[in-house]
Amino acid sequence: LSPLESRIFEFVVLMHAYPTLLEICKRPNNLRVREIADTLARLLHLPRQEVYQALRPEATLARTGLMQCKPNSMFGGMDDRLELLSPAMPERLTESVSEPTDWLRDIVRPGQPSHLQWTDYSHLDKHLAVLRPYLRQALQKGQSGVNVFLYGPPGTGKTQLARLLAQDMGCEMFDITTEDEDREPISGPKRLRAHCAANSFFAKQRAMILFDEVEEVFGDHEGLGQLMKLLKHGHQASSNRKGWINRILETNALPTIWVANSLQGLDPAFARRFDMVLEVPVPPRQQRERIIRQAGGELINTSTEARLAESETLAPALVTQATRVVSAIRDQLG
Protein backbone atom coordinates (compact mmCIF):
# COMPACT_ATOMS: atom_id res chain seq x y z
CA LEU A 1 0.00 0.00 0.00
CA SER A 2 1.08 3.58 -0.61
CA PRO A 3 1.28 5.97 2.39
CA LEU A 4 -2.11 7.43 1.37
CA GLU A 5 -3.73 3.97 1.11
CA SER A 6 -2.19 2.98 4.44
CA ARG A 7 -3.67 6.11 6.04
CA ILE A 8 -7.15 5.29 4.72
CA PHE A 9 -6.87 1.69 5.87
CA GLU A 10 -5.67 2.85 9.30
CA PHE A 11 -8.71 5.14 9.64
CA VAL A 12 -11.15 2.38 8.66
CA VAL A 13 -9.57 -0.02 11.18
CA LEU A 14 -9.81 2.59 13.95
CA MET A 15 -13.39 3.47 12.95
CA HIS A 16 -14.44 -0.16 13.43
CA ALA A 17 -12.34 -0.56 16.59
CA TYR A 18 -13.59 2.42 18.65
CA PRO A 19 -17.32 2.79 19.44
CA THR A 20 -17.29 6.60 19.69
CA LEU A 21 -15.72 7.07 16.28
CA LEU A 22 -17.99 4.37 14.85
CA GLU A 23 -21.09 6.17 16.13
CA ILE A 24 -19.99 9.45 14.54
CA CYS A 25 -19.40 7.72 11.20
CA LYS A 26 -22.94 6.27 11.21
CA ARG A 27 -24.54 9.73 10.96
CA PRO A 28 -23.83 10.80 7.36
CA ASN A 29 -26.16 8.43 5.50
CA ASN A 30 -26.39 7.44 1.83
CA LEU A 31 -23.24 9.25 0.76
CA ARG A 32 -21.94 8.62 -2.75
CA VAL A 33 -18.42 7.27 -3.11
CA ARG A 34 -17.12 10.70 -4.10
CA GLU A 35 -18.74 12.23 -1.00
CA ILE A 36 -17.12 9.56 1.18
CA ALA A 37 -13.78 10.38 -0.45
CA ASP A 38 -14.35 14.10 0.24
CA THR A 39 -15.10 13.38 3.90
CA LEU A 40 -12.01 11.19 4.32
CA ALA A 41 -9.84 13.77 2.55
CA ARG A 42 -10.93 16.49 4.99
CA LEU A 43 -10.55 14.26 8.05
CA LEU A 44 -7.12 12.93 7.11
CA HIS A 45 -5.75 16.02 5.31
CA LEU A 46 -5.23 14.09 2.08
CA PRO A 47 -5.69 15.09 -1.59
CA ARG A 48 -9.36 14.58 -2.46
CA GLN A 49 -8.92 13.09 -5.94
CA GLU A 50 -6.24 10.66 -4.77
CA VAL A 51 -8.53 9.42 -1.98
CA TYR A 52 -11.33 8.93 -4.50
CA GLN A 53 -9.03 6.92 -6.77
CA ALA A 54 -7.87 4.81 -3.81
CA LEU A 55 -11.48 3.83 -3.02
CA ARG A 56 -12.26 2.60 -6.53
CA PRO A 57 -12.87 -1.16 -6.96
CA GLU A 58 -9.85 -1.60 -9.25
CA ALA A 59 -7.49 0.17 -6.81
CA THR A 60 -5.03 -1.60 -4.53
CA LEU A 61 -7.11 -1.51 -1.33
CA ALA A 62 -9.94 -3.43 -2.99
CA ARG A 63 -7.68 -5.71 -5.04
CA THR A 64 -5.81 -6.83 -1.94
CA GLY A 65 -9.14 -7.82 -0.40
CA LEU A 66 -8.36 -5.86 2.79
CA MET A 67 -11.28 -3.46 2.51
CA GLN A 68 -13.82 -2.15 0.04
CA CYS A 69 -15.95 0.92 -0.43
CA LYS A 70 -19.38 -0.43 -1.28
CA PRO A 71 -20.93 1.06 -4.44
CA ASN A 72 -23.38 3.97 -4.57
CA SER A 73 -26.35 1.58 -4.83
CA MET A 74 -25.68 0.39 -1.26
CA PHE A 75 -27.24 2.28 1.67
CA GLY A 76 -25.87 3.10 5.11
CA GLY A 77 -23.35 5.32 6.84
CA MET A 78 -19.60 5.34 6.36
CA ASP A 79 -19.34 2.51 8.88
CA ASP A 80 -21.35 0.23 6.55
CA ARG A 81 -19.92 1.47 3.28
CA LEU A 82 -16.25 1.19 4.29
CA GLU A 83 -16.09 -2.55 4.96
CA LEU A 84 -13.09 -4.52 6.17
CA LEU A 85 -12.53 -8.07 4.99
CA SER A 86 -12.90 -9.50 8.51
CA PRO A 87 -14.86 -8.04 11.45
CA ALA A 88 -12.16 -9.44 13.74
CA MET A 89 -9.39 -7.48 12.01
CA PRO A 90 -9.72 -4.18 13.98
CA GLU A 91 -9.33 -5.91 17.34
CA ARG A 92 -6.33 -7.92 16.16
CA LEU A 93 -4.56 -4.94 14.61
CA THR A 94 -5.13 -2.64 17.56
CA GLU A 95 -3.78 -5.37 19.84
CA SER A 96 -0.54 -5.35 17.80
CA VAL A 97 -0.99 -8.83 16.35
CA SER A 98 1.69 -8.77 13.69
CA GLU A 99 1.44 -12.05 11.78
CA PRO A 100 -0.77 -11.96 8.66
CA THR A 101 -2.03 -15.47 9.45
CA ASP A 102 -3.42 -14.04 12.73
CA TRP A 103 -5.07 -11.10 10.95
CA LEU A 104 -6.96 -13.45 8.64
CA ARG A 105 -7.30 -16.64 10.69
CA ASP A 106 -11.12 -16.61 10.60
CA ILE A 107 -11.14 -16.72 6.77
CA VAL A 108 -7.67 -17.94 5.69
CA ARG A 109 -6.08 -20.80 7.60
CA PRO A 110 -2.92 -22.88 7.19
CA GLY A 111 -3.85 -26.17 5.53
CA GLN A 112 -3.48 -29.61 7.08
CA PRO A 113 -1.26 -32.36 5.64
CA SER A 114 -2.91 -34.94 3.38
CA HIS A 115 -3.61 -38.38 4.84
CA LEU A 116 -3.55 -39.99 1.37
CA GLN A 117 -0.63 -41.04 -0.83
CA TRP A 118 0.06 -41.03 -4.58
CA THR A 119 -0.89 -44.71 -4.72
CA ASP A 120 -4.44 -43.64 -3.86
CA TYR A 121 -4.55 -41.69 -7.12
CA SER A 122 -2.98 -44.22 -9.48
CA HIS A 123 -6.10 -43.95 -11.69
CA LEU A 124 -5.07 -40.31 -12.36
CA ASP A 125 -1.43 -41.07 -13.20
CA LYS A 126 -1.58 -39.70 -16.77
CA HIS A 127 -3.07 -36.39 -15.65
CA LEU A 128 -0.78 -36.03 -12.64
CA ALA A 129 2.25 -36.64 -14.89
CA VAL A 130 1.38 -33.28 -16.47
CA LEU A 131 0.03 -31.42 -13.45
CA ARG A 132 2.87 -32.08 -10.99
CA PRO A 133 5.75 -30.77 -13.16
CA TYR A 134 3.61 -27.84 -14.31
CA LEU A 135 2.95 -26.70 -10.72
CA ARG A 136 6.60 -27.22 -9.81
CA GLN A 137 7.73 -25.01 -12.69
CA ALA A 138 5.10 -22.36 -11.93
CA LEU A 139 6.32 -22.11 -8.33
CA GLN A 140 9.97 -21.97 -9.37
CA LYS A 141 9.31 -19.13 -11.82
CA GLY A 142 6.82 -17.27 -9.61
CA GLN A 143 4.26 -17.52 -12.41
CA SER A 144 0.97 -15.66 -11.85
CA GLY A 145 -2.52 -16.67 -12.94
CA VAL A 146 -1.99 -20.40 -12.23
CA ASN A 147 -5.31 -22.13 -11.53
CA VAL A 148 -6.35 -25.80 -11.43
CA PHE A 149 -9.97 -26.96 -11.14
CA LEU A 150 -10.66 -30.34 -9.50
CA TYR A 151 -14.18 -31.76 -9.61
CA GLY A 152 -15.90 -35.04 -8.85
CA PRO A 153 -18.43 -36.68 -6.50
CA PRO A 154 -18.12 -36.04 -2.74
CA GLY A 155 -15.62 -38.29 -0.99
CA THR A 156 -13.32 -39.03 -3.93
CA GLY A 157 -10.33 -37.28 -2.35
CA LYS A 158 -10.24 -33.95 -4.22
CA THR A 159 -9.26 -31.89 -1.17
CA GLN A 160 -6.70 -34.47 -0.08
CA LEU A 161 -5.22 -34.44 -3.59
CA ALA A 162 -4.80 -30.66 -3.38
CA ARG A 163 -2.99 -31.02 -0.05
CA LEU A 164 -0.83 -33.81 -1.47
CA LEU A 165 0.16 -31.56 -4.38
CA ALA A 166 1.29 -28.85 -1.94
CA GLN A 167 3.36 -31.41 -0.01
CA ASP A 168 4.85 -32.64 -3.27
CA MET A 169 5.89 -29.07 -4.14
CA GLY A 170 7.41 -28.59 -0.68
CA CYS A 171 5.28 -25.53 -0.01
CA GLU A 172 2.65 -24.28 2.41
CA MET A 173 -1.02 -24.43 1.59
CA PHE A 174 -3.55 -21.85 2.80
CA ASP A 175 -7.26 -22.75 2.92
CA ILE A 176 -10.01 -20.26 2.12
CA THR A 177 -12.56 -21.20 4.77
CA THR A 178 -16.30 -21.60 4.31
CA GLU A 179 -17.25 -20.42 7.82
CA ASP A 180 -15.84 -17.98 10.36
CA GLU A 181 -14.75 -18.62 13.95
CA ASP A 182 -18.38 -18.35 15.10
CA ARG A 183 -19.36 -21.13 12.64
CA GLU A 184 -21.26 -18.63 10.52
CA PRO A 185 -21.09 -19.24 6.74
CA ILE A 186 -18.97 -16.84 4.70
CA SER A 187 -20.50 -15.53 1.47
CA GLY A 188 -19.01 -16.28 -1.93
CA PRO A 189 -17.91 -12.69 -2.64
CA LYS A 190 -16.21 -12.41 0.77
CA ARG A 191 -14.39 -15.70 0.18
CA LEU A 192 -13.11 -14.29 -3.12
CA ARG A 193 -11.87 -11.21 -1.26
CA ALA A 194 -10.15 -13.54 1.22
CA HIS A 195 -8.46 -15.23 -1.74
CA CYS A 196 -7.22 -11.82 -2.93
CA ALA A 197 -5.91 -11.04 0.57
CA ALA A 198 -4.09 -14.37 0.82
CA ASN A 199 -2.42 -13.70 -2.54
CA SER A 200 -1.35 -10.24 -1.35
CA PHE A 201 -0.12 -11.33 2.09
CA PHE A 202 1.72 -14.50 1.06
CA ALA A 203 2.86 -13.64 -2.48
CA LYS A 204 6.54 -13.71 -1.45
CA GLN A 205 6.24 -17.16 0.13
CA ARG A 206 6.47 -20.55 -1.55
CA ALA A 207 2.81 -21.38 -1.11
CA MET A 208 -0.41 -22.52 -2.75
CA ILE A 209 -4.07 -21.78 -2.02
CA LEU A 210 -6.93 -24.25 -1.65
CA PHE A 211 -10.37 -22.85 -2.48
CA ASP A 212 -12.84 -25.63 -1.66
CA GLU A 213 -16.61 -25.69 -2.29
CA VAL A 214 -16.51 -23.12 -5.08
CA GLU A 215 -19.98 -23.79 -6.49
CA GLU A 216 -21.54 -20.74 -4.84
CA VAL A 217 -18.68 -18.52 -5.99
CA PHE A 218 -18.89 -19.31 -9.70
CA GLY A 219 -22.65 -19.80 -9.61
CA ASP A 220 -25.28 -17.22 -8.73
CA HIS A 221 -25.81 -18.11 -5.06
CA GLU A 222 -24.65 -14.86 -3.47
CA GLY A 223 -27.50 -14.14 -1.12
CA LEU A 224 -30.59 -11.97 -1.31
CA GLY A 225 -28.65 -8.69 -1.30
CA GLN A 226 -26.64 -9.65 -4.37
CA LEU A 227 -29.77 -11.00 -6.06
CA MET A 228 -31.55 -7.68 -5.55
CA LYS A 229 -28.53 -5.87 -6.95
CA LEU A 230 -28.59 -8.07 -10.05
CA LEU A 231 -32.32 -7.48 -10.49
CA LYS A 232 -31.87 -3.74 -10.15
CA HIS A 233 -28.83 -3.28 -12.36
CA GLY A 234 -29.36 -6.19 -14.75
CA HIS A 235 -26.62 -7.10 -17.15
CA GLN A 236 -24.15 -4.46 -15.92
CA ALA A 237 -23.94 -5.92 -12.38
CA SER A 238 -23.58 -9.45 -13.75
CA SER A 239 -20.92 -8.30 -16.20
CA ASN A 240 -18.99 -6.45 -13.49
CA ARG A 241 -19.01 -9.57 -11.30
CA LYS A 242 -17.79 -11.75 -14.16
CA GLY A 243 -15.02 -9.28 -14.97
CA TRP A 244 -13.94 -9.23 -11.31
CA ILE A 245 -13.66 -13.03 -11.16
CA ASN A 246 -11.82 -13.14 -14.49
CA ARG A 247 -9.25 -10.63 -13.18
CA ILE A 248 -8.73 -12.77 -10.07
CA LEU A 249 -8.10 -15.87 -12.20
CA GLU A 250 -5.70 -14.00 -14.46
CA THR A 251 -3.62 -12.23 -11.80
CA ASN A 252 -3.45 -14.40 -8.66
CA ALA A 253 0.13 -14.50 -7.44
CA LEU A 254 -0.06 -17.98 -5.91
CA PRO A 255 -1.14 -21.21 -7.65
CA THR A 256 -4.71 -21.97 -6.59
CA ILE A 257 -6.51 -25.32 -6.51
CA TRP A 258 -10.27 -24.77 -6.90
CA VAL A 259 -12.44 -27.72 -5.79
CA ALA A 260 -16.08 -28.48 -6.61
CA ASN A 261 -18.41 -31.48 -6.81
CA SER A 262 -19.34 -30.82 -10.45
CA LEU A 263 -18.81 -28.51 -13.42
CA GLN A 264 -22.44 -27.41 -13.29
CA GLY A 265 -22.71 -23.63 -13.16
CA LEU A 266 -19.11 -23.04 -14.24
CA ASP A 267 -19.29 -20.32 -16.90
CA PRO A 268 -17.21 -21.14 -20.03
CA ALA A 269 -15.54 -17.73 -19.62
CA PHE A 270 -14.21 -18.93 -16.25
CA ALA A 271 -13.44 -22.50 -17.39
CA ARG A 272 -11.06 -21.39 -20.16
CA ARG A 273 -8.94 -19.50 -17.63
CA PHE A 274 -8.01 -22.69 -15.76
CA ASP A 275 -4.73 -24.32 -16.77
CA MET A 276 -6.20 -27.75 -16.05
CA VAL A 277 -9.72 -28.97 -15.36
CA LEU A 278 -9.37 -32.43 -13.85
CA GLU A 279 -12.12 -34.88 -12.91
CA VAL A 280 -11.47 -36.93 -9.76
CA PRO A 281 -13.87 -39.87 -10.13
CA VAL A 282 -14.60 -42.81 -7.87
CA PRO A 283 -11.55 -45.10 -8.26
CA PRO A 284 -11.77 -48.25 -10.44
CA ARG A 285 -12.69 -51.57 -8.86
CA GLN A 286 -9.17 -52.82 -8.20
CA GLN A 287 -8.31 -49.67 -6.33
CA ARG A 288 -11.61 -49.70 -4.46
CA GLU A 289 -10.73 -53.17 -3.19
CA ARG A 290 -7.37 -51.95 -1.91
CA ILE A 291 -8.97 -48.93 -0.19
CA ILE A 292 -11.63 -51.11 1.45
CA ARG A 293 -8.96 -53.59 2.57
CA GLN A 294 -6.82 -50.85 4.11
CA ALA A 295 -9.73 -49.10 5.82
CA GLY A 296 -11.62 -52.18 6.97
CA GLY A 297 -8.77 -54.30 8.21
CA GLU A 298 -10.07 -57.22 10.27
CA LEU A 299 -13.61 -55.77 10.29
CA ILE A 300 -14.27 -56.96 6.73
CA ASN A 301 -13.75 -60.47 5.32
CA THR A 302 -12.69 -61.16 1.74
CA SER A 303 -16.18 -61.86 0.36
CA THR A 304 -17.60 -58.66 1.91
CA GLU A 305 -14.65 -56.71 0.56
CA ALA A 306 -15.31 -57.98 -2.97
CA ARG A 307 -19.04 -57.29 -2.70
CA LEU A 308 -18.49 -53.71 -1.51
CA ALA A 309 -15.95 -53.09 -4.27
CA GLU A 310 -18.61 -53.87 -6.88
CA SER A 311 -20.32 -50.54 -6.12
CA GLU A 312 -19.18 -47.97 -8.68
CA THR A 313 -20.43 -45.13 -6.48
CA LEU A 314 -18.54 -46.12 -3.32
CA ALA A 315 -16.23 -43.16 -2.68
CA PRO A 316 -13.09 -43.69 -0.52
CA ALA A 317 -14.26 -41.21 2.14
CA LEU A 318 -17.48 -43.19 2.64
CA VAL A 319 -15.48 -46.36 3.30
CA THR A 320 -13.28 -44.57 5.83
CA GLN A 321 -16.25 -42.96 7.57
CA ALA A 322 -18.24 -46.20 7.82
CA THR A 323 -15.19 -48.03 9.18
CA ARG A 324 -14.69 -45.36 11.84
CA VAL A 325 -18.31 -45.70 13.00
CA VAL A 326 -18.22 -49.51 13.15
CA SER A 327 -14.83 -49.51 14.93
CA ALA A 328 -16.21 -47.22 17.61
CA ILE A 329 -19.11 -49.53 18.49
CA ARG A 330 -17.77 -52.97 17.52
CA ASP A 331 -17.78 -54.20 21.12
CA GLN A 332 -21.47 -53.38 21.47
CA LEU A 333 -22.31 -55.10 18.18
CA GLY A 334 -21.32 -58.50 19.59
Side-chain angles (χ1 to χ4, degrees):
L1 300 180
S2 69
L4 179 138
E5 291 161 341
S6 297
R7 190 90 169 102
I8 294 170
F9 179 62
E10 177 187 23
F11 174 83
V12 176
V13 168
L14 294 174
M15 176 181 70
H16 287 283
Y18 293 98
T20 303
L21 182 57
L22 187 67
E23 189 60 34
I24 293 169
C25 291
K26 288 178 182 289
R27 294 174 188 173
N29 278 313
N30 305 331
L31 297 178
R32 299 179 67 81
V33 174
R34 191 168 288 280
E35 293 170 322
I36 292 175
D38 290 346
T39 304
L40 287 175
R42 289 197 301 272
L43 285 169
L44 305 177
H45 305 289
L46 296 172
R48 183 175 303 174
Q49 185 60 24
E50 290 183 32
V51 173
Y52 175 68
Q53 293 297 329
L55 295 180
R56 293 177 64 80
E58 66 273 15
T60 306
L61 281 169
R63 285 192 294 104
T64 59
L66 287 173
M67 62 161 281
Q68 67 170 346
C69 182
K70 292 181 181 177
N72 291 328
S73 57
M74 309 297 286
F75 299 105
M78 283 177 57
D79 60 314
D80 286 327
R81 298 284 299 285
L82 297 172
E83 181 187 56
L84 292 169
L85 174 59
S86 165
M89 192 178 285
E91 181 179 353
R92 289 171 188 159
L93 288 175
T94 52
E95 288 180 347
S96 299
V97 175
S98 58
E99 290 297 322
T101 48
D102 289 325
W103 290 24
L104 304 174
R105 67 173 179 262
D106 53 336
I107 45 178
V108 179
R109 295 172 190 164
Q112 301 299 313
S114 176
H115 60 255
L116 298 181
Q117 305 298 324
W118 291 119
T119 52
D120 296 304
Y121 297 99
S122 58
H123 55 301
L124 299 176
D125 278 349
K126 286 197 299 183
H127 304 288
L128 294 174
V130 176
L131 178 57
R132 291 170 71 181
Y134 174 67
L135 286 175
R136 191 170 291 111
Q137 177 179 287
L139 283 162
Q140 286 173 351
K141 292 186 174 181
Q143 186 176 330
S144 62
V146 174
N147 296 282
V148 175
F149 194 95
L150 303 180
Y151 74 98
T156 54
K158 302 180 294 296
T159 301
Q160 294 303 318
L161 175 57
R163 300 195 193 290
L164 193 57
L165 285 165
Q167 289 173 215
D168 188 45
M169 300 301 124
C171 67
E172 283 190 271
M173 174 158 271
F174 294 99
D175 296 356
I176 307 299
T177 61
T178 57
E179 58 183 25
D180 61 23
E181 292 177 313
D182 297 325
R183 300 290 183 179
E184 293 293 327
I186 302 173
S187 69
K190 184 160 282 192
R191 294 184 71 210
L192 278 173
R193 287 176 58 203
H195 176 267
C196 293
N199 273 280
S200 298
F201 278 46
F202 309 120
K204 299 296 175 71
Q205 297 181 214
R206 186 177 174 84
M208 293 169 58
I209 296 176
L210 170 61
F211 201 123
D212 211 341
E213 300 183 31
V214 304
E215 287 86 347
E216 68 170 26
V217 174
F218 293 129
D220 290 323
H221 312 291
E222 297 187 34
L224 182 59
Q226 183 68 15
L227 177 60
M228 294 301 291
K229 182 181 175 184
L230 289 172
L231 289 173
K232 183 176 181 181
H233 297 283
H235 175 73
Q236 182 180 359
S238 179
S239 177
N240 289 344
R241 173 180 167 274
K242 184 181 290 188
W244 178 46
I245 295 176
N246 284 341
R247 282 195 299 275
I248 289 173
L249 293 174
E250 291 168 355
T251 61
N252 51 302
L254 299 176
T256 301
I257 310 293
W258 307 78
V259 176
N261 291 332
S262 75
L263 287 175
Q264 187 174 358
L266 181 64
D267 191 298
F270 301 150
R272 71 179 181 83
R273 284 173 168 80
F274 290 101
D275 302 291
M276 283 190 69
V277 177
L278 174 60
E279 182 181 10
V280 184
V282 173
R285 174 168 179 155
Q286 185 176 2
Q287 197 160 335
R288 292 199 300 271
E289 286 184 356
R290 185 181 62 80
I291 291 168
I292 293 167
R293 190 180 307 118
Q294 286 181 338
E298 61 182 25
L299 292 175
I300 301 175
N301 59 35
T302 304
S303 62
T304 303
E305 177 186 300
R307 195 165 63 251
L308 287 172
E310 289 177 4
S311 173
E312 295 182 358
T313 60
L314 188 62
L318 298 178
V319 175
T320 304
Q321 190 172 9
T323 303
R324 186 171 62 246
V325 172
V326 174
S327 297
I329 60 172
R330 63 184 301 185
D331 293 338
Q332 286 91 327
L333 293 176

